[in-house]
Amino acid sequence: MKSLTKQQRISAFAATAALLVAGITAGTATAGSSAEDSGMRAGATAMKLSAAQKTALIKKADTAKVKAADAKALGLGSKEELRVKDVVKNKDGATHVRYARTFDGMPVLGGDLVVHKSKSGEHTGVTKGTKADVAVSTKGVKASAKPATPKAKGSKAPRQVVFALEGKPVLAWETVEGGTQKSGAPNQLHVITDAKTGKKIFEFQGIHEADGTGASMYSGEVQLTTDGADGKFTLSDASRGGSKTTNLENGESGDGKDFTDEDNKWGTGKPEDAQTAAVDAHYGAMQTWDFFKDVFKREGIAGDGKGAPSRVHYGDNYVNAFWDDSCFCMTYGDGEGNKAPLTSLDVAAHEMSHGVTSTTAGLVYAGESGGLNEATSDIFAAATEFHAPENKEDVADFLVGEEIDINGDGTPLRYMDKPSKDGNSLDEWSDQAGDVDVHYSSGIANHWFFLMSMGSGKSEKNGVEYDSPTSDGSTIEGIGITKAQEIWFKALTENMTENTDYKAAREATVKASNDLFGADSAETKAVEAAWTAVAVK
């Protein structure tokens, strides 16, 4: 695969700053109507589970007896084993058990599957990452085909895997190359090579980053949940799984140093004050947590009740922010000249949503699945903005990076109503979509989500005007962001797998809508019409 330029890798936004904060968070209400009064089948939505209940549910599903029964029902071979990754339980008692798969002890990349069960435990269906039989032979494997361990810091020795993300499953080596990317972000490039020929067959990046060039900070006054007492407060949030925000002090590793404050009033809104970036980061983590909990009953990014750390002041003049699965944390640079920390709300929600994707569908960060991965983060970033407390200085919208002027002319980085307005993103699908940088192929799903939420043609929300076209000239009636985000989340967590492409995403969202609203519902018809409007059929 060809390498990408810095401009091609641009995925995000950057900074606004928050000012004074209080020690106690004000409650927020979920935007939009409830499931009961919107026509949604409440029983098909996820049940609220405590961390202990979630752990117990996974433990129950991860027993040898249950896994053996599921493997038998699926017709898996004797060398195949299942490992529970996640379990979603709906209010009607139905469960969706997400499994990773191994073959002869080797991880199967793209072998993940979701087993759907009724309240009584009967199988009602299965969603598979690959429909091919996972059976590979070691015959013909040569020692010379095994790649060397990369020398860069943070690299990992090759491990043998079954590669099933594309086509017929093959025996392969997965090597993780460490070091640093050209943008300055840590590198976790997963390179897949054929175990028989040594030829590279696939690669994907483990660090999901957001490039920017810096921006002015503008957010207004926000409230933060902190810890401590008079004289020594810290940016720790026990009410959100122990989330905390720390100071890397321009370092590039470690957990960072705790921020402390005497009067619990943080930052000045100016980048020269080290607390200002921390205010935005902490606020972003709070709002992202609240969005997933309030809307989807998911506590924490991984759904395990644990907070995800945020680290600010990474590196020197670092114009970037990134999510890292290995530490399950968010990291923010200070931008151009260390004067524009990349800590705005949409950055936080976008990047932390990568963690939600990695612990659910696990959409591989390459090809069409990579575009869907990026779109998921844009979708939930927009949804988080609409769920957060009203901010007249940074209104909720369907624009990406609208506050940062990354282009230098006052325009947003990305537009969900017409993605091609940024000069790179795709408005609609074509057979070349899988070859486009994931930050631009994401435009297809972003456009679908806008059409689902707002409809086609001219519209306005919170004073922001939109004009969304369709590829077939059709007119789409939006169903609102509340229903659209429910459909996307249910599809992501129950019906998508590591190598889901756009066609499969259509199938996954149709199934999700059928479950939530009914097969002949106006919502399902809107799902299908919106996909057709972006040329996904």
Side-chain angles (χ1 to χ4, degrees):
M1 295 185 178
K2 64 181 182 180
S3 60
L4 301 174
T5 66
K6 180 178 180 180
Q7 178 60 31
Q8 287 174 314
R9 289 196 309 275
I10 287 178
S11 67
F13 342 98
T16 58
L19 306 177
L20 294 179
V21 301
I24 301 176
T25 295
T28 58
T30 303
S33 56
S34 67
E36 288 75 10
D37 61 20
S38 66
M40 188 185 300
R41 292 177 176 175
T45 60
M47 178 184 293
K48 181 179 180 179
L49 300 171
S50 66
Q53 289 172 323
K54 181 81 168 184
T55 299
L57 199 61
I58 292 176
K59 185 177 181 180
K60 181 179 178 180
D62 206 22
T63 62
K65 182 179 180 180
V66 172
K67 290 189 291 186
D70 284 348
K72 182 178 180 180
L74 295 169
L76 302 186
S78 61
K79 292 186 177 182
E80 294 177 84
E81 293 186 3
L82 299 174
R83 178 177 62 81
V84 177
K85 287 183 62 180
D86 191 27
V87 180
V88 173
K89 186 174 183 179
N90 293 344
K91 291 179 181 178
D92 60 8
T95 56
H96 309 272
V97 184
R98 182 175 295 277
Y99 286 114
R101 194 179 346 178
T102 62
F103 177 83
D104 202 15
M106 296 177 289
V108 181
L109 305 184
D112 61 322
L113 47 88
V114 184
V115 176
H116 310 289
K117 300 180 183 181
S118 67
K119 181 179 181 179
S120 63
E122 296 181 0
H123 284 223
T124 58
V126 62
T127 303
K128 294 183 177 181
T130 178
K131 296 180 181 179
D133 291 335
V134 178
V136 295
S137 171
T138 58
K139 185 177 180 180
V141 173
K142 299 178 180 179
S144 59
K146 180 179 180 179
T149 300
K151 296 181 180 179
K153 182 179 179 180
S155 297
K156 297 181 180 179
R159 67 168 182 168
Q160 204 157 50
V161 300
V162 176
F163 179 73
L165 287 167
E166 296 180 342
K168 181 180 179 181
V170 296
L171 192 65
W173 290 102
E174 179 188 30
T175 306
V176 179
E177 298 180 0
T180 303
Q181 299 183 54
K182 291 181 179 179
S183 66
N187 189 48
Q188 288 182 15
L189 184 66
H190 295 244
V191 180
I192 314 299
T193 54
D194 191 297
K196 296 182 179 180
T197 65
K199 182 181 178 180
K200 183 169 73 174
I201 54 178
F202 198 77
E203 68 177 33
F204 63 92
Q205 180 58 249
I207 294 291
H208 306 148
E209 60 174 320
D211 282 347
T213 57
S216 62
M217 294 176 296
Y218 192 69
S219 173
E221 204 170 289
V222 296
Q223 292 183 307
L224 301 179
T225 299
T226 62
D227 192 17
D230 288 346
K232 189 175 182 180
F233 294 93
T234 62
L235 288 175
S236 301
D237 188 350
S239 68
R240 295 179 177 82
S243 301
K244 67 186 306 183
T245 303
T246 60
N247 188 357
L248 284 174
E249 301 179 301
N250 303 120
E252 297 182 0
S253 62
D255 296 330
K257 181 180 178 180
D258 284 345
F259 282 95
T260 61
D261 191 83
E262 293 184 358
D263 61 3
N264 213 19
K265 294 182 178 180
W266 304 79
T268 62
K270 303 296 182 182
E272 292 77 15
D273 186 333
Q275 289 186 359
T276 296
V279 168
D280 278 319
H282 203 66
Y283 177 72
M286 285 171 51
Q287 295 308 321
T288 304
W289 174 288
D290 289 353
F291 165 69
F292 283 105
K293 179 181 178 180
D294 294 346
V295 178
F296 305 123
K297 306 301 182 284
R298 183 182 182 88
E299 292 207 36
I301 300 304
D304 58 2
K306 298 179 181 178
S310 298
R311 308 180 303 173
V312 298
H313 303 307
Y314 174 91
D316 183 35
N317 290 301
Y318 182 62
V319 189
N320 216 333
F322 59 87
W323 170 266
D324 186 350
D325 275 341
S326 66
C327 64
F328 218 71
C329 66
M330 262 304 302
T331 305
Y332 302 90
D334 286 324
E336 191 72 32
N338 292 324
K339 294 185 180 297
L342 280 79
T343 49
S344 64
L345 176 57
D346 52 3
V347 172
H350 172 106
E351 297 300 334
M352 296 175 81
S353 293
H354 280 305
V356 174
T357 298
S358 74
T359 52
T360 56
L363 294 161
V364 172
Y365 208 59
E368 290 191 24
S369 62
L372 289 165
N373 189 317
E374 270 295 306
T376 295
S377 286
D378 278 351
I379 286 168
F380 290 144
T384 299
E385 281 193 352
F386 279 98
H387 178 265
E390 183 179 354
N391 186 336
K392 295 181 180 179
E393 299 175 29
D394 179 14
V395 299
D397 51 42
F398 292 92
L399 307 175
V400 180
E402 69 279 2
E403 292 295 318
I404 65 173
D405 194 21
I406 199 169
N407 298 316
D409 58 5
T411 59
L413 177 61
R414 289 197 289 275
Y415 304 78
M416 299 183 82
D417 62 327
K418 187 178 181 182
S420 63
K421 286 173 67 175
D422 66 15
N424 293 295
S425 294
L426 303 182
D427 287 338
E428 59 194 57
W429 184 87
S430 75
D431 57 9
Q432 302 298 311
D435 299 324
V436 177
D437 180 83
V438 298
H439 304 111
Y440 303 142
S441 62
S442 63
I444 302 165
N446 282 347
H447 192 190
W448 173 87
F449 186 75
F450 181 87
L451 291 171
M452 285 289 293
S453 301
M454 297 290 290
S456 60
K458 294 184 178 181
S459 59
E460 178 271 333
K461 185 76 171 178
N462 291 339
V464 182
E465 296 181 351
Y466 306 100
D467 192 356
S468 190
T470 57
S471 67
D472 58 355
S474 61
T475 298
I476 303 296
E477 294 293 332
I479 63 173
I481 191 172
T482 299
K483 292 180 179 180
Q485 68 195 17
E486 283 282 1
I487 292 169
W488 190 263
F489 183 79
K490 189 173 180 68
L492 177 79
T493 57
E494 298 179 14
N495 304 322
M496 294 186 188
T497 59
E498 292 174 347
N499 61 341
T500 292
D501 57 14
Y502 272 104
K503 180 179 179 181
R506 175 176 175 139
E507 295 170 356
T509 49
V510 168
K511 185 178 187 304
S513 185
N514 286 345
D515 290 344
L516 289 169
F517 302 103
D520 295 323
S521 64
E523 290 81 5
T524 295
K525 292 177 181 177
V527 170
E528 295 175 321
W531 279 122
T532 300
V534 295
V536 177
K537 302 177 180 179

